[in-house]
Amino acid sequence: MAKIKITQVKSTIKRPKDQKATIIALGLGKINRTVELENNPAIAGMVRKVSHLVKVEEA
């Protein structure tokens, strides 16, 4: 599978608990933190859930 780079660009303050938990599960938590993960259906679903908080690029 291809790798994707996920960067958090917005804060999780005043967001629902499930969105905060998804950000933590992706390995983020602070603005401008970037992780590189394999693109699989589970990760894609997590990214879709918090798409308004992150920026996604192909690696």
Side-chain angles (χ1 to χ4, degrees):
M1 286 255 167
K3 288 199 170 231
I4 55 173
K5 284 173 66 173
I6 306 166
T7 304
Q8 184 176 349
V9 294
K10 288 193 176 179
S11 173
T12 57
I13 294 173
K14 291 193 176 180
R15 302 290 178 189
K17 286 183 182 180
D18 60 338
Q19 290 179 11
K20 290 181 184 183
T22 302
I23 289 288
I24 297 298
L26 286 169
L28 302 170
K30 293 185 178 181
I31 295 176
N32 290 328
R33 186 169 286 173
T34 301
V35 294
E36 196 167 309
L37 300 170
E38 289 290 329
N39 189 12
N40 60 44
I43 298 297
M46 293 168 78
V47 168
R48 192 168 35 254
K49 184 171 189 125
V50 293
S51 62
H52 57 289
L53 302 175
V54 298
K55 177 178 74 170
V56 181
E57 304 169 335
E58 292 206 19

